[in-house]
Amino acid sequence: KLKGPRLIHVITKKGKGYKYAEAMPTDYHGIAPFDIETGEAIRQEDQDAKQETYTQVFGRTIADLAKQDPAIVAVTAAMRDGTGLARFAKEFPKRCFDVGIAEEHAVTFAASLARGGMKPVVAIYSTFLQRAYDQIIHDVSLQNLPVIFCIDRAGLVGEDGPTHHGMFDIAYLRHIPNIVVMAPRDGMELEKMLQWAMGRKQAVAIRYPKAAVYSHIPASTFHPIQLGVSETIREGRDLAIVAIGSMVSTAVKIADLLSEDRIEATVVNARFVKPLDGAMLERLAAKIKKIVTIEEGVADGGFGSALLEFMERENIKGVTVKRIGLPDQFIEHGRREELFKKYHLTADEVSQTIKRELFDR
């Protein structure tokens, strides 16, 4: 009933009323099925659980790099454990900053650190980085500051539901000047991208999913990372599949399936959303007239759209481009493999789409 401004300061106790959650709030923040009487998780067989994840690769690599370079600092927004920074925080407590649920501040703070000569790594989930969109533009990119954005949970996150799917980061980052946008094909490439990004004098965004890092691509095929240069993994005459990030391994499977139907596909690991490998695209367009792009993100305004824009800008004609990605809608709760199947992003589904729409089979 008071008149004028009022401030109510409330302290939240996570898990209030359930003793197990009160005692272990981090463990119960995102919880799998559990026995309510004992608090013990009900274990489910999960092949991915046996594999190292992108998050774990990031956490291990950034801690190793920090040992070699005292200028590296980490910034996160109330997701230190979720983004894989637990080891970094333990080994370098004075160089790890958790600013709380304030992504906007995290990005502006990181910009200030970069301006002061540090090498800030901002680790935030894709869906939450949206909150700092203005700060990415004005405080980082406009100042052309070397902040590294490590964007976890990019793509489908399964059981975390529609608020957590990282669908939009490619679309909302790629049109911002002075920023490089990348996505690794596997864990090894994530390590190499992090190492490469440390030497850049501009903002770099690296996106990766909440998933295991196993890959169907031999490590021996790896080419050193160069700005805006892609990697051709397989050559074929009938079709080119240009994939980004987590979908590169799927693209290799798609090529194998198409080969069974005598359709030979070139497979390209784009590596960069921005800048695109224009020389590669011009070479492809000169010899292959059917190109498919595939991404784990919304198709509208995404990686495939960037490729189409390049074709228009360079006046490249006579090439059919098929974009494959997530639809223009919010994606519901569900396991990653279920959602990939529902939205036609599995290797089998995409190969069927290609045969039907590009080869009339």
Side-chain angles (χ1 to χ4, degrees):
K1 297 179 180 179
L2 295 173
K3 295 181 179 179
R6 282 142 291 179
L7 171 65
I8 299 174
H9 188 188
V10 180
I11 297 175
T12 300
K13 184 174 181 62
K14 290 178 70 70
K16 179 67 176 175
Y18 184 60
K19 64 179 183 179
Y20 300 111
E22 288 184 18
M24 299 179 290
T26 298
D27 292 346
Y28 280 81
H29 177 72
I31 185 67
F34 66 97
D35 186 321
I36 196 169
E37 298 298 330
T38 66
E40 294 183 1
I42 300 172
R43 302 296 177 189
Q44 297 179 331
E45 187 63 28
D46 185 353
Q47 185 64 31
D48 282 4
K50 301 176 183 178
Q51 302 283 343
E52 191 175 31
T53 65
Y54 283 94
T55 302
Q56 290 169 336
V57 171
F58 162 72
R60 168 172 53 77
T61 304
I62 200 66
D64 290 343
L65 290 172
K67 289 180 180 179
Q68 305 166 26
D69 190 344
I72 295 174
V73 293
V75 182
T76 191
M79 53 191 81
R80 187 190 68 182
D81 293 347
T83 57
L85 285 175
R87 177 186 157 192
F88 187 102
K90 183 178 180 180
E91 295 183 8
F92 310 101
K94 293 183 178 180
R95 292 158 60 186
C96 187
F97 303 94
D98 185 345
V99 303
I101 304 175
E103 287 81 1
E104 304 90 339
H105 171 57
V107 173
T108 299
F109 175 48
S112 301
L113 290 168
R115 185 69 181 83
M118 306 302 288
K119 296 181 180 178
V121 176
V122 179
I124 294 178
Y125 296 175
S126 170
T127 187
F128 298 146
L129 190 61
Q130 293 161 186
R131 300 169 181 172
Y133 179 71
D134 184 65
Q135 287 71 26
I136 296 169
I137 292 175
H138 287 126
D139 297 338
V140 176
S141 297
L142 183 60
Q143 316 302 324
N144 201 19
L145 293 172
V147 174
I148 299 172
F149 295 97
C150 290
I151 307 173
D152 203 327
R153 272 52 168 188
L156 296 171
V157 296
E159 291 88 340
D160 287 340
T163 58
H164 281 55
H165 293 303
M167 299 167 55
F168 307 112
D169 54 90
I170 291 177
Y172 71 69
L173 287 175
R174 73 176 184 85
H175 58 254
I176 301 174
N178 296 334
I179 189 168
V180 173
V181 183
M182 312 171 72
R185 76 184 196 190
D186 53 28
M188 178 186 65
E189 190 161 81
L190 175 55
E191 292 180 24
K192 301 299 184 183
M193 285 183 174
L194 284 166
Q195 294 167 8
W196 180 86
M198 290 298 169
R200 298 296 302 171
K201 299 300 182 184
Q202 68 183 119
V204 177
I206 306 173
R207 77 182 305 260
Y208 44 90
K210 182 185 181 183
V213 297
Y214 54 75
S215 173
H216 300 277
I217 307 165
S220 58
T221 66
F222 185 85
H223 295 85
I225 294 173
Q226 301 176 59
L227 179 64
V229 178
S230 63
E231 174 188 58
T232 299
I233 294 172
R234 174 175 178 154
E235 297 280 1
R237 65 182 182 276
D238 302 312
L239 169 77
I241 305 172
V242 185
I244 187 74
S246 58
M247 300 308 294
V248 174
S249 184
T250 300
V252 173
K253 293 182 186 177
I254 293 166
D256 289 339
L257 291 171
L258 292 174
S259 184
E260 295 174 4
D261 216 0
R262 297 184 180 179
I263 299 172
E264 298 302 327
T266 291
V267 176
V268 176
N269 168 21
R271 282 185 170 169
F272 291 85
V273 173
K274 182 180 183 178
L276 284 174
D277 187 345
M280 173 273 296
L281 292 175
E282 289 177 343
R283 287 195 302 271
L284 281 182
K287 62 181 181 179
I288 299 175
K289 300 307 176 183
K290 296 176 181 179
I291 298 176
V292 172
T293 66
I294 182 167
E295 59 197 292
E296 190 180 342
V298 66
D300 290 357
F303 171 70
S305 295
L307 188 145
L308 278 174
E309 290 165 14
F310 174 86
M311 297 289 190
E312 180 272 333
R313 189 165 57 246
E314 299 301 320
N315 199 30
I316 297 174
K317 298 178 180 179
V319 178
T320 299
V321 177
K322 172 67 178 176
R323 295 175 302 135
I324 294 178
L326 292 170
D328 180 22
Q329 66 186 75
F330 290 107
I331 306 300
E332 67 273 35
H333 176 287
R335 292 175 65 84
R336 269 175 64 83
E337 56 267 32
E338 293 172 337
L339 294 173
F340 268 81
K341 187 171 183 179
K342 177 171 182 177
Y343 293 101
H344 314 296
L345 287 176
T346 65
D348 184 63
E349 294 265 6
V350 175
S351 65
Q352 293 299 326
T353 298
I354 289 171
K355 286 189 286 187
R356 181 177 64 252
E357 297 190 17
L358 296 181
F359 293 93
D360 294 324
R361 296 188 187 178

